[in-house]
Amino acid sequence: TRNRTLFPYTTLFRSFMNFKENLKKLMNERNLKNVELANKAGLTRASISYYLLGKREPNLEALEKLKNALACSYDDLLK
């Protein structure tokens, strides 16, 4: 049986596993380089690089900024 208290966290973890690939795809579709997205989103170039490498996951505030900068939904970033 599945431990129900861990379910939301495992689902979120799986979403972040897709995050870096989704971010790459959205950036390619919009012809954005790391520095361009960073400037547009108000984040550092280093943060974007870490996200693309899968070394860091964005917090909710950064995720909101990326969503707005890429003109996409949370689902586009996380699913």
Side-chain angles (χ1 to χ4, degrees):
T1 64
R2 183 178 9 198
N3 183 340
R4 291 187 186 270
T5 59
L6 292 178
F7 180 69
Y9 301 106
T10 57
T11 302
L12 183 62
F13 177 74
R14 275 189 243 117
S15 294
F16 276 115
M17 288 176 58
N18 297 328
F19 171 74
K20 72 177 186 175
E21 296 304 321
N22 293 342
L23 182 59
K24 286 178 192 177
K25 178 180 164 242
L26 290 165
M27 287 175 65
N28 285 334
E29 288 173 357
R30 289 154 177 79
N31 296 314
L32 287 173
K33 296 181 180 177
N34 295 15
V35 68
E36 295 169 327
L37 178 57
N39 290 336
K40 196 171 180 178
L43 299 169
T44 65
R45 185 183 53 80
S47 290
I48 302 298
S49 295
Y50 284 132
Y51 300 153
L52 292 170
L53 293 170
K55 293 187 176 203
R56 184 181 293 168
E57 297 165 351
N59 61 24
L60 189 56
E61 181 182 344
L63 199 59
E64 174 81 14
K65 289 179 178 183
L66 290 169
K67 178 185 79 73
N68 292 335
L70 293 166
C72 67
S73 68
Y74 289 116
D75 282 350
D76 293 333
L77 285 168
L78 297 174
K79 290 206 175 188

